[in-house]
Amino acid sequence: MSIIGKIESCLPSFTKTETIIARFILDHREDGVEQYLLGDLSRELGVGEATIVRFCRKLGLGGFTELKFLLSVENEEHTAARENSGEIKDILISSIKMTDSMVSSKDISDVVDLAGAASEVFFFGIGMSGLSASMGESRLFRFGKRTKAITEAHAQNMQASLCDENSLIVAVSISGETIDLIEAVSLAKESGAKVVAITSYLRSTLAELADYVLLSFGKPNYINAGAFSTVVSQLYILDLITSEYALRFSAEAARSKKRIARSIINKMVN
């Protein structure tokens, strides 16, 4: 039996509070209930986090994470067959537009101030967010800034422990709850580093740790975790930051781009 079917069959046995949770899931089954963090759903419904966990266990599940996983499976099976090139294009465009609406020019300017003052900028990310971190490093590096992308958990911890007040960490995570990333960022904060978070959740642990938060549009999906729409929104923010940096420090950026171009000109095929 599907998890939706199981919830429907158990409706008569639910308490009043459990029924509120069940009805919300059933009424929003195609709206991405699985994209909620436990705390966000608790606030949305006005019920305790422990109540939601008990609801999940009443369904025979290990907890809220397993419920989200099963909902992701069913939602993916329902929507995968309907996706076409036009819908994919609309999703990507919408992702950029939504991200643009959540980020102000002052936010970008403040982050560029931090980058300009830092002795070195480290980009932290894991999984698909690690790819975004690597792109951020590649882009900013070309403008003359000392940068390094670190996408492996142990290396992030080691680098974080060596940071100081002149270091800047740009931490990229859709959920803002990736355990290894949170650990590394916490170490960096203890070392005195400034932290910029690029995440989709303002109330996430990563956002709470950060000095600045830039919101990207994208929701975690256990089945379709490699969706490009989430990465596109992260790359859009990183492009805003690095482009503003190049404008702000135009002389340095121009010199660096010329030197880099000369260094690789012989590598190109005529």
Side-chain angles (χ1 to χ4, degrees):
M1 181 184 294
S2 71
I3 188 61
I4 290 296
K6 195 167 189 178
I7 292 172
E8 289 174 333
S9 67
C10 290
L11 272 174
S13 66
F14 287 146
T15 65
K16 183 178 180 180
T17 306
E18 290 169 346
T19 300
I20 292 174
I21 301 170
R23 286 296 181 192
F24 183 83
I25 293 172
L26 295 175
D27 292 343
H28 298 82
R29 66 181 73 181
E30 294 185 3
D31 298 336
V33 176
E34 70 274 11
Q35 297 168 357
Y36 277 83
L37 299 178
L38 179 58
D40 289 339
L41 185 59
S42 172
R43 284 184 287 270
E44 177 78 20
L45 300 181
V47 302
E49 293 184 12
T51 302
I52 297 174
V53 173
R54 284 196 298 271
F55 169 83
C56 296
R57 289 177 178 164
K58 196 166 187 176
L59 294 171
L61 308 178
F64 186 56
T65 298
E66 186 175 358
L67 173 64
K68 293 199 296 181
F69 174 78
L70 293 175
L71 288 171
S72 291
V73 171
E74 292 185 18
N75 194 43
E76 180 69 14
E77 290 173 349
H78 179 67
T79 60
R82 296 188 289 110
E83 283 193 352
N84 56 46
S85 60
E87 289 176 334
I88 291 171
K89 178 187 70 175
D90 291 342
I91 289 170
L92 293 177
I93 292 173
S94 175
S95 179
I96 292 175
K97 286 183 176 179
M98 289 297 294
T99 299
D100 186 66
S101 71
M102 296 187 291
V103 179
S104 71
S105 57
K106 184 180 185 305
D107 293 332
I108 299 300
S109 180
D110 288 344
V111 171
V112 171
D113 286 341
L114 290 178
S119 59
E120 190 164 11
V121 179
F122 299 98
F123 292 89
F124 284 7
I126 292 175
M128 290 295 286
S129 294
L131 298 179
S132 297
S134 295
M135 290 295 290
E137 174 204 26
S138 177
R139 178 78 167 154
L140 192 57
F141 170 77
R142 292 172 184 271
F143 299 142
K145 192 67 185 181
R146 291 178 59 85
T147 65
K148 185 175 183 180
I150 305 177
T151 59
E152 194 276 324
H154 290 85
Q156 288 176 354
N157 277 15
M158 289 187 286
Q159 181 57 67
S161 69
L162 297 176
C163 286
D164 57 29
E165 63 277 3
N166 296 313
S167 305
L168 174 63
I169 305 292
V170 179
V172 188
S173 170
I174 298 168
S175 68
E177 298 294 345
T178 305
I179 294 174
D180 289 332
L181 185 65
I182 296 301
E183 183 179 345
V185 169
S186 297
L187 285 172
K189 289 289 290 183
E190 291 174 7
S191 299
K194 293 289 190 298
V195 174
V196 172
I198 298 177
T199 181
S200 297
Y201 289 92
L202 187 59
R203 293 192 181 98
S204 64
T205 304
L206 178 61
E208 291 174 357
L209 286 170
D211 298 286
Y212 284 89
V213 179
L214 299 176
L215 289 175
S216 63
F217 182 76
K219 305 297 180 183
N221 187 309
Y222 292 94
I223 303 302
N224 197 20
F228 286 142
S229 58
T230 57
V231 178
V232 163
S233 64
Q234 294 171 345
L235 293 179
Y236 176 67
I237 289 178
L238 289 168
D239 203 3
L240 290 177
I241 294 170
T242 54
S243 295
E244 175 65 22
Y245 183 93
L247 288 172
R248 184 89 61 85
F249 303 96
S250 56
E252 175 191 359
R255 285 194 301 270
S256 296
K257 286 191 291 184
K258 287 180 181 178
R259 292 175 65 182
I260 289 173
R262 289 195 191 99
S263 74
I264 61 174
I265 191 67
N266 293 330
K267 305 290 185 182
M268 299 180 181
V269 177
N270 292 329

